[in-house]
Amino acid sequence: MPTKKLTDRTISHLKAPKSGRLELWDSVLPGFGLRVTDKDARTWFVMYRAGLGEDRRQRRLKIGDAKLMDLAEAREAARDAMRQVAKGADPALDRHPARPSTDGAVRAISTDYLARYVRKNTRSSTYRETKRIFDVDILPAWGGRELASITRRDVGELLEGIAARGAEVQANRTLARLKTFFAWCVDEEIITASPVGRMKPPTKEKARDRALSDDEIRWFWQGCDALGWPFGPLFKLLLLTAQRRDEVAGIAFAEFDLEKRLWTIPRERAKNDRTHEVPLSELAL
């Protein structure tokens, strides 16, 4: 995140990002900054650490709307918050006290998160996988708990349980989804800090470099013939084009230019959100 001396001139000339959000940190007062969203919402904030031992966490405190509060006012408010921290107080918790326990709080908030953020900002396949992770592992464990009660230890126990059933990589994917979820909850001021923070993936993944031998390719091809339509031809095209499963499975005939021997995957179906052209061999055709 960029750090520079914030001035009234710098802020007045600052343009909203095309997507997502931009955060500028003040070099005059470390921990103080300005967040600007793609909708040009501008918010002053301050980051600090509060608590003792295992309970010590990073907090984000919203200072105010930058369109209503000028730089000098915001910087002084941030200084005041830091003075409170130095005295042992936690201004974020003082401003947003813990909510009373509510059955299904995690379930309700995750439903809101999936609808308002994941569905609108990610591909449909990412939405489906995120929802599946919540439905299969997260909600059965935490669905009826208050979100603010979820600790780093709770997350660790959840991931250990997933890994223990032989799904080590899935444990990593679950942590990645939880990091995004808790970050969204902090942004929405539902909680003051994420319990996962800099938590590392529980499993070290190895790059897959396995390749089929010539004999294995022959056996695979024969197996596809025995399997028949539709999965036999699907698996053959996966081998011949080296493209992703869902991209091949969702092929529409209009995506082919048979004269040019070219398959164009439209950006809305490509994982990287970019139009992708795939040359086709005679056998693929």
Side-chain angles (χ1 to χ4, degrees), residues 8 33 56 74 83 87 98 129 135 137 157 166 174 177 180 183 202 234-235 237-238 250 252 254-255 265 278 283:
D8 291 327
R56 185 172 177 80
R83 292 187 195 106
K87 294 178 181 178
E129 177 59 14
D135 290 343
D137 288 309
E157 290 177 352
T174 301
R177 296 299 196 279
T180 306
L234 167 62
F235 295 155
L237 276 177
L238 288 172
E255 295 174 3
I265 305 174
V278 182
L283 188 55

Side-chain angles (χ1 to χ4, degrees), residues 197-209:
R198 299 180 180 178
M199 195 170 186
K200 296 181 179 179
T203 301
K204 185 176 181 180
E205 297 183 34
K206 297 180 180 179
R208 294 176 291 181
D209 57 3

Side-chain angles (χ1 to χ4, degrees), residues 73-273:
E73 290 178 294
R75 196 178 268 149
E76 183 55 35
R79 286 195 178 98
D80 182 61
M82 291 180 178
R83 292 187 195 106
Q84 295 178 48
V85 173
K87 294 178 181 178
D90 190 341
L93 286 184
D94 292 342
R95 182 179 296 183
H96 303 287
R99 303 175 184 179
S101 179
T102 303
D103 286 344
V106 172
R107 188 180 305 277
I109 293 168
S110 65
T111 299
D112 194 29
Y113 163 71
L114 289 167
R116 290 177 49 207
Y117 179 78
V118 183
R119 185 185 289 276
K120 292 183 178 180
N121 295 282
T122 67
R123 293 173 52 79
S124 58
S125 58
T126 301
Y127 168 78
R128 290 194 301 270
E129 177 59 14
T130 303
K131 187 176 185 303
R132 188 192 69 80
I133 288 174
F134 271 86
D135 290 343
V136 172
D137 288 309
I138 298 172
L139 293 181
W142 303 340
R145 289 182 56 178
E146 175 71 13
L147 182 66
S149 73
I150 305 300
T151 66
R152 191 182 185 91
R153 178 173 293 180
D154 290 323
V155 176
E157 290 177 352
L158 176 69
L159 300 179
E160 286 176 7
I162 296 172
R165 68 173 189 246
E168 291 89 353
V169 174
Q170 186 62 25
N172 289 358
R173 301 294 178 270
T174 301
L175 175 59
R177 296 299 196 279
L178 284 174
K179 285 188 174 183
T180 306
F181 170 61
F182 281 116
W184 179 84
C185 291
V186 171
D187 289 345
E188 294 291 311
E189 297 187 340
I190 299 170
I191 54 176
T192 58
S194 168
V196 291
R198 299 180 180 178
M199 195 170 186
K200 296 181 179 179
T203 301
K204 185 176 181 180
E205 297 183 34
K206 297 180 180 179
R208 294 176 291 181
D209 57 3
R210 174 77 163 84
L212 297 179
S213 67
D214 289 348
D215 283 338
E216 287 173 328
I217 291 175
R218 282 198 298 273
W219 298 331
F220 173 81
W221 200 266
Q222 292 168 4
C224 289
D225 288 337
L227 190 59
W229 178 269
F231 296 106
L234 167 62
F235 295 155
K236 285 183 178 181
L237 276 177
L238 288 172
L239 179 68
L240 293 169
T241 61
Q243 300 306 301
R244 296 181 176 89
R245 179 196 60 197
D246 289 350
E247 292 172 352
V248 174
I251 284 176
F253 195 76
E255 295 174 3
F256 291 114
D257 186 329
L258 299 182
E259 291 186 2
K260 294 182 178 179
R261 298 189 175 192
L262 197 65
W263 167 30
T264 301
I265 305 174
R267 59 171 302 197
E268 58 269 18
R269 290 213 310 111
K271 186 175 182 180
N272 60 5
D273 199 32

